[in-house]
Amino acid sequence: MERQSRRTILKSSWLPLAGMFGLPSISAAVQETSSPYRRPKLKITDVRTAEVRVHGYQVHVRVYTDQGIVGQGETTDASQGNVPLIRQFSRMLTGQDPLNIEAAFERIRTSGVFAGAQAGVYVTALTGIETALWDIAGKALGVPVYQLLGGKVRDRVRVYCDSGEREMIPGDERSKARIEEIQEMGFTAAKIDIDDARDTARMDRVNWTASNGEIEHMIAKIGFTRENYPKNFDLAVDMHARYDATTGKRVAKEVEPFKLMWLEEPVPAENIDAMREVRASTSTPICCGENLYMRWGFRELLEKRAADIIMPDFQKCGGLLEARKIADMAHAYYVPVAPHAVTSPIGMMATAHVCSVIPNFLVQEWHWIDSRDLWRNWVKEGEIIQKGFIPLPERPGIGVEMNEDAAKKAQVPGTPWFEPTRRG
Ligand code: MG
């Protein structure tokens, strides 16, 4: 009975995958090498990278195994310097079982405590690998990643549209057209930026204390955007962690009538007390955390009640399981999670898997409105956002595969494209 069900499960989950990798005997091979609890014995053989430039510089990661299963991950924002780090991590991973994800994560993290493993590029490089290991685990076991992270609490993930590079200019017809366009795409929430280094009312090139004129411009921009969206359309506003505490408090107070979904990083997130001071001064919800890493980066922020909403970037902050752990910590404080997300559909779908399993998920970012041709063609599955939501696929792993012809258009010139690691 046990044997029969094992065989049935493995066959049903592996056959489509075997076709995908062009390895007709893979199903049988995995059955041969499976342990009694139906788990294939795999070994990592290589880790390779490809570098692209879309929303800034980003690194795609592939982890290879001895049975033809390949996992993919993506890193963003703190990606500069990831490639040599990933090459270094690869040496720790080769020959290891890719399904022991927590062990791999801890081995790499703790081996780097004197080399920057607390935050930044080190953790971002680790994130790309961790994500790829989840993709492998899902493919090896024949289940979507969300199933391995606790199972879905929602079938689709709400996405908000970052309005992109086109500024929202009060009265401007192109800005109105962009607002229309975002609604036609089916989004129910959007974000705009109000920090402007070129604002004519800026008094100093370096200091970010906003003048009365600058604050007036910020309010006009929000007012114009707010009145052009319907009342029940949610609007978030980003200040990009540039301003001082006085400016942060002034703006948070003045935008109260707009009932924003949130005001993002009115001050930098590094000084938790300053963020808490801003939050305590206003009824506007404060969101922050796109530059914080792992559980330890969010601990004090949550303990001091310094934010209403947190926004870890799951393709940067430590990986998918780490994201789940951060979200669970936030849940204990009744704080919702709205992940920062600026990657290709591969990273976006990986993020969506986590968003589908955390009870306190609010909304996930999308930032490729100005790169839509690349966006639609980046993965073989095509457009992953349906009317403002990402439906979770039932395919094993992350559930999307790169369309190389499309993604290569964004390759950083002169960089390798998933070339095998040369050892010697
Ligand atoms: Mg931001």
Side-chain angles (χ1 to χ4, degrees), residues 214-227:
E214 278 177 273
I215 293 180
E216 215 172 277
H217 294 159
M218 292 177 188
I219 302 301
K221 204 185 268 189
I222 300 170
F224 162 77
T225 313
R226 187 58 280 178
E227 74 190 24

Side-chain angles (χ1 to χ4, degrees), residues 160 162 191 193 238-241 262 264-265 290-291 311 340 365:
Y160 73 88
D162 191 295
K191 184 161 84 183
D193 302 334
D238 196 354
M239 293 177 76
H240 280 128
W262 69 69
E264 187 167 315
E265 309 212 312
E290 66 177 271
N291 297 309
M311 50 173 309
H340 178 258
E365 183 170 6

Side-chain angles (χ1 to χ4, degrees), residues 356-369:
S356 78
V357 305
I358 56 175
N360 51 330
F361 164 73
L362 179 63
V363 67
Q364 174 176 335
E365 183 170 6
W366 177 63
H367 211 311
W368 279 34
I369 194 166

